[in-house]
Amino acid sequence: MTALEANFDGLVGPTHNYAGLSFGNVASQNNAAAVSNPKAAALQGLQKAKALADLGLVQGMLPPQLRPDLASLRRVGFAGTDAKVLHEAASHAPQLLNSFSSASCMWTANAATVSPSSDSANGKVHFTPANLVDKLHRSIEPGQTARILQAIFKDPAHFQHHMHLPEHPYFGDEGAANHTRLCHQYGQQGVELFVYGRKASQANSPAPKHFPARQTLEASEAIARLHQLDDRYVHYIQQNPDVIDQGVFHNDVIAVGNQNVLFYHQQAFLNSASELALLQQKMQGDLHLVEVSTEDVSIDAAVRSYLFNTQLVTLGDGSMALIAPSDCQENPQVYQYLQSLPERGSPIKQVKYFDVKQSMQNGGGPACLRLRVALTPAELAAVNPQALLTDDLYQQLTQWIHKHYRDRLCATDLADVTLYQESCAALDELTQIMRLGSIYAFQR
Ligand code: SUG
């Protein structure tokens, strides 16, 4: 057995809803106040994960966080019984209740940045939870994310966990959504590509004009230091600020990489040609640059279809497949491009489509739903086995979702203490299924 790359998908939580919380994320804004279906959302995500497991990939699941987050509501002054806290928040600060009820931790691409052991000086897998400071509803995630990751990647001989970066826009960090590890084989020294939206320390440097740049260069540099990466194998590229202003709020909305392939849009990066030439040098000339032109796919089509929020995975025969949202089939320009992709001479030989519409309507495609962790066989053996998606776990989780999840949720339901109690009951049972110990104790 050799090293591989596992995907850890976020199980969608019982409060999945559309609250329009993410300024700069077009889908989130467009679907504000739509009625959601948490049961369908959780099943869609789980089925996508199971399909990847069935393709022979190692697939893990990360449990959701408890929402509404009463601990956060109490922290900002709402007091009394659970029902009273929810009622008061709904009456006096509905925006806060919405923020602290979001199931946004489902997008585990934003949970953390992960560096494999072969890239790090101390030979361990490094995890740094993202601080997600740009959005209030996401800024409450990192503490619990750390507990979850530590429960699943427990063994200090293999795994090293860092605290999230200081909670300030200077260190705005959105995790793996802006980080791509390129390599020849998963177990060999790779090149870690960090894509940032702005430089916090240089006020006059290029930056978007309308929408926020969530990731700073300074955050990416801090992660590279923490993870003990070798400068010769790290590259930083700035995202094109103009595309951020068109709704590309993370780099994974405009580019995806796997092993020695980078699939990206012509307009994704600032100084694209020169930066990619440097990246190519670091990859010793063996990087397949699969560039999609504006003529073939406009930025608008890419943002609507999430063509680049696809997962690029290596199959058993060494070829690669693109795991795309079914929305890509519905956009004629994008679908036409994807039909031609396997013939374009890159290692990408097939495209598979999945319906993850419940997540897509909040701006989260297949790639947002997963955190990649490259692991050696010994490291894989040290992962909490109950987090790995087997047929048995899939059956248990499917039944669990049917038992605990609602099929309809809107903003006014968030104040209902019954929803909170249902969520607690669901997570109590999940703790047993996935043997998670006491990770929810801090949230109660
Ligand atoms: O942070 N949407 C998420 C989507 C995250 C997608 N992740 C990646 N691209 N890796 C976000 O903007 C919307 C929640 C709401 O509006 O209810 C939200 O948080």
Side-chain angles (χ1 to χ4, degrees):
M1 243 181 103
T2 50
L4 48 79
E5 190 169 82
N7 289 294
F8 285 80
D9 279 44
L11 259 173
V12 177
T15 63
H16 161 66
N17 75 101
Y18 302 117
L21 300 174
S22 280
F23 177 60
N25 168 343
V26 179
S28 152
Q29 300 287 276
N30 288 348
N31 290 301
V35 175
S36 69
N37 183 336
K39 182 178 284 184
L43 290 171
Q44 286 171 357
L46 183 61
Q47 281 154 10
K48 190 268 285 181
K50 179 64 164 62
L52 266 68
D54 290 345
L55 283 173
L57 297 158
V58 174
Q59 178 69 53
M61 300 305 299
L62 297 179
Q65 303 192 9
L66 177 59
R67 297 286 184 272
D69 184 1
L70 293 195
S72 288
L73 287 170
R74 290 200 160 91
R75 187 174 162 198
V76 295
F78 296 103
T81 61
D82 294 347
K84 183 156 185 283
V85 166
L86 290 166
H87 177 75
E88 296 285 307
S91 314
H92 302 294
Q95 198 55 31
L96 273 184
L97 179 60
N98 287 351
S99 292
F100 292 165
S101 300
S102 176
S104 53
C105 63
M106 66 201 265
W107 299 295
T108 54
N110 306 117
T113 306
V114 183
S115 295
S117 52
S118 45
D119 294 357
S120 175
N122 74 354
K124 294 190 186 189
V125 185
H126 288 252
F127 298 82
T128 301
N131 60 22
L132 299 168
V133 286
D134 189 66
K135 298 281 177 268
L136 174 64
H137 69 291
R138 306 219 59 182
S139 68
I140 58 171
E141 292 176 30
Q144 184 66 0
T145 299
R147 281 177 216 114
I148 290 170
L149 292 174
Q150 286 168 28
I152 290 174
F153 304 94
K154 226 183 222 158
D155 185 350
H158 291 297
F159 306 120
Q160 185 163 349
H161 295 271
H162 303 277
M163 192 178 175
H164 59 275
L165 297 177
E167 293 152 23
H168 185 275
Y170 188 94
F171 281 118
D173 177 25
E174 300 275 320
N178 298 310
H179 171 255
T180 306
R181 177 180 185 253
L182 301 161
C183 62
H184 301 284
Q185 296 298 329
Y186 292 119
Q188 295 172 348
Q189 169 77 58
V191 174
E192 300 205 14
L193 169 62
F194 291 86
V195 181
Y196 61 93
R198 66 186 169 92
K199 290 181 183 158
S201 55
Q202 291 178 31
N204 296 327
S205 62
K209 294 183 179 62
H210 307 296
F211 290 153
R214 300 196 199 182
Q215 181 84 31
T216 67
L217 170 63
E218 291 74 6
S220 299
E221 288 173 336
I223 304 269
R225 275 190 298 273
L226 286 166
H227 292 195
Q228 303 184 23
L229 304 182
D230 182 334
D231 283 346
R232 289 171 301 168
Y233 299 106
V234 174
H235 195 61
Y236 303 95
I237 301 186
Q238 182 162 359
Q239 209 182 338
N240 176 358
D242 292 345
V243 298
I244 297 180
D245 278 335
Q246 292 170 71
V248 183
F249 58 97
H250 286 140
N251 177 59
D252 69 5
V253 177
I254 196 98
V256 60
N258 174 48
Q259 288 189 313
N260 62 347
V261 175
L262 187 64
F263 177 58
Y264 63 100
H265 193 276
Q266 179 187 4
Q267 295 187 53
F269 309 115
L270 206 60
N271 307 320
S272 189
S274 55
E275 290 298 340
L276 293 175
L278 291 170
L279 184 64
Q280 181 65 278
Q281 274 174 22
K282 290 184 176 169
M283 283 292 288
Q284 287 141 9
D286 180 35
L287 180 61
H288 293 269
L289 291 167
V290 185
E291 181 176 287
V292 180
S293 68
T294 307
E295 199 184 333
D296 280 341
V297 177
S298 67
I299 295 293
D300 182 61
V303 170
R304 282 174 196 276
S305 67
Y306 264 36
L307 165 62
F308 298 97
N309 200 262
T310 39
Q311 292 177 250
L312 188 53
V313 298
T314 303
L315 303 175
D317 65 0
S319 71
M320 294 191 194
L322 205 62
I323 307 299
S326 52
D327 307 62
C328 286
Q329 289 171 297
E330 290 152 24
N331 184 305
Q333 199 185 29
V334 170
Y335 191 46
Q336 191 181 0
Y337 176 83
L338 282 174
Q339 282 183 305
S340 71
L341 181 59
E343 314 304 325
R344 287 181 182 245
S346 83
I348 309 172
K349 294 298 175 216
Q350 49 178 306
V351 184
K352 292 181 179 293
Y353 298 94
F354 291 89
D355 177 0
V356 287
K357 278 195 189 299
Q358 284 289 320
S359 168
M360 284 287 288
Q361 285 170 193
N362 251 340
C368 299
L369 286 162
R370 61 92 174 95
L371 181 66
R372 292 187 281 188
V373 187
L375 297 163
T376 64
E379 290 157 359
L380 178 60
V383 173
N384 174 353
Q386 284 303 115
L388 297 176
L389 191 61
T390 56
D391 288 350
D392 191 39
L393 182 60
Y394 172 73
Q395 297 301 343
Q396 288 187 65
L397 290 177
T398 303
Q399 282 166 14
W400 170 81
I401 292 165
H402 280 290
K403 177 172 164 193
H404 292 284
Y405 281 55
R406 297 188 184 188
D407 57 13
R408 199 191 135 84
L409 204 66
C410 54
T412 48
D413 297 323
L414 300 173
D416 177 4
V417 74
T418 331
L419 176 69
Y420 175 68
Q421 288 159 351
E422 286 168 18
S423 300
C424 289
L427 296 187
D428 283 346
E429 194 179 328
L430 187 65
T431 301
Q432 303 302 319
I433 296 173
M434 292 182 70
R435 303 209 188 106
L436 296 168
S438 58
I439 57 162
Y440 291 109
F442 293 87
Q443 294 209 283
R444 301 292 273 273

